[in-house]
Amino acid sequence: MAVITVDKLCKLYAGAQAPAVSDVSFTVADREFMVLLGPSGCGKSTVLRMIAGLEPITSGTVSIDGRIVNPIPAKLRDIAMVFQSYALYPHMTVYENLAFGLRRRNVDPAEVSRRVNAAAKKLGLTELLKRKPHALSGGQRQRVALGRAIVRDPRVFLFDEPLSNLDAALRVTTRNELIKQQQEIGTTSIYVTHDQVEAMTMGHRICIMNQGKVAQMGRPLEVYRNPADTFVAKFLGNPPMNLLPGRLETQDGRLVARLAGCAFALPGRTASSLVRHVGRDIIIGVRPEDLYETAPVAEATQITRLPARVVAVEPLGAETLLVVALDASNDELIVRIGRDTALKNGDRFDVALDSSAVHLFDPATTKAIV
Amino acid sequence: MATQVRFGFEQLRRAPLVLFVLLCTVVSGGPFLWVAAMSLRTTAEIFRDPYGMPSPVHWEKFVDAWTKSNYGTYFWNSTFVVVIAVALVTVIGAMAAHCLARYSFRGNRLVRFLILSGLILPPQLLILALFQILLDIDLYNTLSGLILVYVSTHIAMTVYILEGFFAQIPQDLFDAARMDGYSDFEIFWRVTMPIGAPAIFTTVTLNFIILWNEFLFAVVLLTDDDKRTLPLGIMHFTGSHQLDVGMVATGLMIAILPIIVIYAFSSETMIKGMTAGAVR
């Protein structure tokens, strides 16, 4: 078991103008499952490869259990990695693929056999041990790739988007399988993905990266509920958070936010944190699930009504997404409502906004106003 | 009815292609069959009717060619030179191709240019220089010298074919092997070589065929009769005042047989190697 510490990690590729990874720091606790989440090209895989020892580090350090491993080659770091393409050796059988790493480490053949068979049993691969990778389905290949990591019993697991080559249905089952395996084995893991559902469901903590930097780190729901900036607010959540231009004002001696001509109080917000933004433009963020067709009665005091027109209706089966344009500003919002709505294109209604759930951001810095 | 019309049109559309394939077959197969027929006829018979069929069939000419003309020695010389040269060119070429395809190092492009420039140099241009170098290092008129020349002149094509194939092997496989604890050489030997087997097989076959038939370097760099390779052996039947056409044809057939056997067994794999991707 191991604690991984990444400190001020930077990566500048030869000939590149800007660093691919800049000043990234985090610690992954023993037995923790950390997810690095971000869009393509944000540097998350580069961080993973530097931890693995597959990519030279420009500056900063990677430590495992307090020992800096920068100069230690990949093969001596006792880390196993599952690749996006699975990276199964096509000329070897499943058994040989699983045993390849152990044989290099001069493990006794009887022990190799025992460990390979145990991993195969755990992952349901026993029947497939004599097959070659090209005779396996995507899900089976993925399990072999995981098995190859498991048999080595390493200190750290690294996963580089291991589910992104699977179809949607298989991805869900394999995701659950991975969660189960990690809980059973309990090895410290770092998992790279651009899929927020994977991040939310698998990670003990998630580290969201943007343009080579850490945008926010925390427990999944914590990050979802309190995004640190507009990037995280937009990136996490499907459909994403609505971000609208607004203004912070005082009305009758109390602070209010003004959005599309409507002013509403900000329950739960202390005046001291907001006071320096009074009289200034702000960005108001509201998640689609905090907008209603019919306001929930219990929270009536916090409800603000915004007159709007339905622009598009997207029935998803379990729920319906409405795209609405606000009458006052013509800004578009996405509203998540129940599947039984009778609203259709062109209908007018008052969107009910739960003002206790709004997020405020500084337009200059894009950071959250807390 | 509609199906019949389409079928007729399809046949018509394919006719030029079939004709073209037939023409190619006649152009390449015709001379071969002609030589095969001549190899079973005497020179007198051939001069009487150059395009005639063997009647009677002179099988004994093969025995004569082998026993009376030192053909056994030429055959084993060819086998010795070609097998060793092909083995060396394959191992060295594969290593070079692996490095060029896999590692980015300073001077990478220059090294690639220098190796691949060997593809555009005609052998006639090199022959005098090679003759002088082999004389200087006491390898003139030796089979080892010829092997050295064959290796150096065939590295370029080998690297060219193998590098293209090796570059298609996903980087993840090499990274996985590194994580599994393997060194760079072990990765070459245990990952690149087995995965690149179809391409390696292709270069082995091509090099074998080309070197087995190689004449120019052999005729310039070997002088002793007991060191000659098969293509030179065929010259044995041509003198300054006479030409034993029948025996030349028999000698050619003996020389060509190993190539036919190799090609018959490997043509499919060779075509796969030249066209397939590295990993399915």
Side-chain angles (χ1 to χ4, degrees), chain B residues 85-97 100 111-112 114-119 147-163 203 207 211:
Chain B
V86 168
L88 286 174
V89 89
T90 304
V91 173
I92 298 169
M95 285 179 173
L100 290 173
V111 172
R112 180 185 282 108
L114 287 175
I115 293 177
L116 297 188
S117 61
L119 278 174
I147 289 171
L148 203 62
V149 169
Y150 282 174
V151 171
S152 57
T153 50
H154 283 73
I155 280 283
M157 187 192 70
T158 308
V159 171
Y160 179 72
I161 294 175
L162 292 184
E163 192 205 345
T203 58
N207 282 329
L211 293 180

Side-chain angles (χ1 to χ4, degrees), chain B residues 149-210:
Chain B
V149 169
Y150 282 174
V151 171
S152 57
T153 50
H154 283 73
I155 280 283
M157 187 192 70
T158 308
V159 171
Y160 179 72
I161 294 175
L162 292 184
E163 192 205 345
F165 193 90
F166 289 173
Q168 292 176 39
I169 301 175
Q171 179 62 33
D172 279 358
L173 282 178
F174 298 95
D175 289 341
R178 276 172 73 190
M179 301 294 292
D180 275 336
Y182 288 87
S183 67
D184 284 3
F185 182 76
E186 286 170 320
I187 290 170
F188 164 73
W189 197 246
R190 304 189 65 158
V191 177
T192 303
M193 288 295 268
I195 294 174
I200 290 164
F201 195 76
T202 302
T203 58
V204 166
T205 311
L206 279 178
N207 282 329
F208 194 94
I209 291 172
I210 294 168

Side-chain angles (χ1 to χ4, degrees), chain A residues 66-103:
Chain A
R67 183 181 172 210
I68 292 176
V69 296
N70 291 31
I72 299 174
K75 62 181 179 182
L76 300 177
R77 292 190 188 187
D78 199 12
I79 292 175
M81 186 159 167
V82 179
F83 294 85
Q84 181 177 359
S85 64
Y86 316 134
L88 302 181
Y89 308 113
H91 55 295
M92 297 182 194
T93 62
V94 170
Y95 183 95
E96 288 162 344
N97 263 283
L98 294 176
F100 194 59
L102 295 176
R103 285 184 177 149

Side-chain angles (χ1 to χ4, degrees), chain A residues 44-328:
Chain A
K44 56 193 187 301
S45 286
T46 310
V47 170
L48 197 77
R49 290 174 60 81
M50 286 194 280
I51 295 170
L54 296 173
E55 200 75 63
I57 295 169
T58 307
S59 68
T61 57
V62 174
S63 313
I64 300 177
D65 283 337
R67 183 181 172 210
I68 292 176
V69 296
N70 291 31
I72 299 174
K75 62 181 179 182
L76 300 177
R77 292 190 188 187
D78 199 12
I79 292 175
M81 186 159 167
V82 179
F83 294 85
Q84 181 177 359
S85 64
Y86 316 134
L88 302 181
Y89 308 113
H91 55 295
M92 297 182 194
T93 62
V94 170
Y95 183 95
E96 288 162 344
N97 263 283
L98 294 176
F100 194 59
L102 295 176
R103 285 184 177 149
R104 180 63 188 83
R105 287 172 167 77
N106 296 325
V107 177
D108 175 59
E111 175 65 7
V112 170
S113 172
R114 192 192 65 74
R115 279 159 75 166
V116 168
N117 285 315
K121 194 174 167 196
K122 190 191 278 276
L123 295 166
L125 295 169
T126 308
E127 305 297 315
L128 310 173
L129 284 174
K130 287 182 182 157
R131 288 206 202 161
K132 289 201 171 164
H134 66 78
L136 302 177
S137 68
Q140 289 167 337
R141 287 181 201 188
Q142 207 284 334
R143 277 186 281 152
V144 178
L146 180 62
R148 197 169 59 184
I150 288 175
V151 287
R152 279 189 33 209
D153 192 19
R155 287 196 296 169
V156 177
F157 279 141
L158 303 179
F159 299 90
D160 191 4
E161 309 211 25
L163 304 184
S164 56
N165 285 358
L166 301 179
D167 61 48
L170 198 54
R171 197 179 298 180
V172 175
T173 44
T174 316
R175 192 173 71 213
N176 293 331
E177 180 68 24
L178 263 177
I179 295 170
K180 198 179 102 192
Q181 294 296 342
Q182 207 277 337
Q183 281 169 353
E184 275 179 30
I185 300 165
T187 306
T188 310
S189 305
I190 302 180
Y191 187 104
V192 160
T193 183
H194 64 267
D195 183 331
Q196 51 168 302
V197 180
E198 282 173 28
M200 294 294 290
T201 52
M202 300 178 87
H204 295 150
R205 278 192 305 152
I206 57 180
C207 171
I208 301 183
M209 290 186 63
N210 184 28
Q211 295 180 335
K213 292 181 177 155
V214 174
Q216 191 175 2
M217 196 156 33
R219 296 189 177 281
L221 284 177
E222 201 176 281
V223 177
Y224 184 80
R225 285 176 187 148
N226 303 302
D229 58 21
T230 52
F231 169 78
V232 177
K234 275 287 219 193
F235 191 75
L236 214 55
N238 186 24
M241 182 184 281
N242 297 295
L243 296 174
L244 299 161
R247 204 171 165 79
L248 205 59
E249 296 174 350
T250 47
Q251 199 175 59
D252 305 331
R254 63 191 185 120
L255 273 171
V256 291
R258 184 170 291 280
L259 171 66
C262 296
F264 53 88
L266 296 164
R269 299 276 185 160
T270 55
S272 59
S273 67
L274 302 177
V275 74
R276 68 191 177 91
H277 294 278
V278 173
R280 290 184 184 174
D281 288 339
I282 54 169
I283 295 172
I284 296 176
V286 53
R287 292 218 178 265
E289 60 267 31
D290 294 324
L291 296 164
Y292 304 93
E293 180 186 357
T294 314
V297 177
E299 298 168 25
T301 53
Q302 298 170 0
I303 294 297
T304 304
R305 293 178 188 283
L306 305 166
R309 176 174 48 88
V310 178
V311 176
V313 181
E314 296 175 1
L316 300 178
E319 62 190 12
T320 298
L321 300 181
L322 296 179
V323 182
V324 300
L326 296 180
D327 285 353

Side-chain angles (χ1 to χ4, degrees), chain B residues 82-145:
Chain B
V82 173
V83 167
I84 292 182
V86 168
L88 286 174
V89 89
T90 304
V91 173
I92 298 169
M95 285 179 173
H98 173 76
C99 288
L100 290 173
R102 203 46 59 190
Y103 304 115
S104 53
F105 52 90
R106 197 178 289 271
N108 178 311
R109 293 176 68 163
L110 179 69
V111 172
R112 180 185 282 108
F113 173 77
L114 287 175
I115 293 177
L116 297 188
S117 61
L119 278 174
I120 55 167
L121 291 178
Q124 291 85 346
L125 204 70
L126 306 172
I127 197 84
L128 278 178
L130 286 172
F131 173 78
Q132 189 58 49
I133 292 168
L134 289 190
L135 267 181
D136 291 348
I137 58 177
D138 286 335
L139 286 177
Y140 177 70
N141 192 28
T142 63
L143 294 180
S144 318

